[in-house]
Amino acid sequence: MVLRSKTNRFRMLALLAVAGATLSACTPAPAPSPTPTAAFASEEEAFAAAEETYRAYNDAGNARRDGDSEPDPQDYLVGNALEGDIDALNKIRDAGVRLDGVVEVATFSGLEAILDSDPQQVIALVCLDLANTRILNDADQDVTPDRVLIVAQEVTFTAIHGAPFISDEKSAEAALC
């Protein structure tokens, strides 16, 4: 009788193992999670998209200085760049001055496209021409100090939802322009 009980127990375990394997075979495989698609397929594409974004941002800044609220230059900014723009606007307002005129993008040069990271990033050198700008006080008097007319900026773009946004902007050596 002891032999029979061990045999039944063995059969029962085997049956459960087969049933478990059969049931797990019927369970649908988990749906694959979507693989994020890269915003840029090549350096050239990344640099072109970044330049288009920067020029649109600059145009929006010129429009803001001209009194237009649309497009908003902050729509092109994230992170440190957005915080920097907000701080600059506050400082200008607190100083009782305003920038008048048009800033022109003299040159845009792609420096590095980091396409194998998530998110992708682009770093560029942007040379801005300030010759057609001046600083005015509350009485609309020109208080523009002596200054260089071409400034260099190192600009970092970060791809978000397939589009480049300006995430950081800092001064670079003017000699690079």
Side-chain angles (χ1 to χ4, degrees), residues 18 20 37 43-44 46 51 56 67 75 85 87-89 95 115 119 128 146 152 154 158 164 173-175:
V18 169
T37 55
E43 274 192 355
E44 295 78 23
E51 181 173 3
D75 290 345
D85 187 65
D87 288 345
L89 289 174
L115 304 181
L128 299 171
D146 288 336
E154 183 179 296
T158 300
E173 278 189 54

Side-chain angles (χ1 to χ4, degrees), residues 111 123-126 152-156 168-172:
L111 299 176
I123 301 170
L125 176 69
V126 179
Q153 297 291 105
E154 183 179 296
V155 183
T156 301
D168 198 24
E169 187 169 11
K170 59 187 173 189
S171 294

Side-chain angles (χ1 to χ4, degrees), residues 51-127:
E51 181 173 3
E52 183 179 329
T53 295
Y54 197 88
R55 288 184 183 278
Y57 160 72
N58 188 68
D59 291 346
N62 287 331
R64 177 171 65 187
R65 279 187 293 285
D66 200 32
D68 296 335
S69 60
E70 291 296 323
D72 185 351
Q74 291 183 353
D75 290 345
Y76 301 92
L77 306 175
V78 296
N80 291 337
L82 179 57
E83 291 171 19
D85 187 65
I86 292 168
D87 288 345
L89 289 174
N90 289 333
K91 286 178 183 176
I92 289 170
R93 183 196 65 230
D94 293 347
V97 296
R98 65 184 171 86
L99 183 62
D100 182 60
V102 176
V103 174
E104 300 202 21
V105 177
T107 60
F108 183 100
S109 304
L111 299 176
E112 184 178 9
I114 307 164
L115 304 181
D116 59 352
S117 67
D118 185 24
Q120 292 178 322
Q121 291 192 314
V122 174
I123 301 170
L125 176 69
V126 179
C127 298

